[in-house]
Amino acid sequence: MITDESDRAFKQRLTRVERAFASLLADPHYGPLMHEDGRPEFLADLRQEWRERQERARTDKVQDLREEASLAES
């Protein structure tokens, strides 16, 4: 499911989470807490949403190009 957040803001949030995630998992205290809290699944969900956003953007671009080509042929 795609949230109401803009693509740019979402990508920034995903980048921040990915940066913090690696170091927190490596920490002997926070690593187990992250797993217990389900954070790997949360990160996987964020990455899935980003892929969906990219696919939607590609689809929109292809549709725009088709519309332009159709108008050019007219």
Side-chain angles (χ1 to χ4, degrees), residues 9-67:
F10 183 85
K11 180 59 175 166
Q12 289 173 343
R13 181 165 63 111
L14 174 60
T15 301
R16 285 192 308 270
V17 169
E18 286 179 324
R19 283 184 193 151
F21 194 79
S23 61
L24 287 173
L25 274 181
D27 188 275
H29 175 73
Y30 289 108
L33 293 175
M34 297 273 293
H35 281 289
E36 188 178 300
D37 195 28
R39 291 300 170 177
E41 292 81 11
F42 173 71
L43 180 58
D45 290 344
L46 289 177
R47 288 176 173 160
Q48 176 62 35
E49 181 172 340
W50 181 244
R51 286 189 296 273
E52 290 172 7
R53 286 171 176 268
Q54 290 176 314
E55 182 61 33
R56 182 189 63 195
R58 278 192 296 274
T59 302
D60 290 347
K61 185 167 184 135
V62 167
Q63 185 177 2
D64 290 345
L65 291 173
R66 286 184 182 153
E67 288 174 6

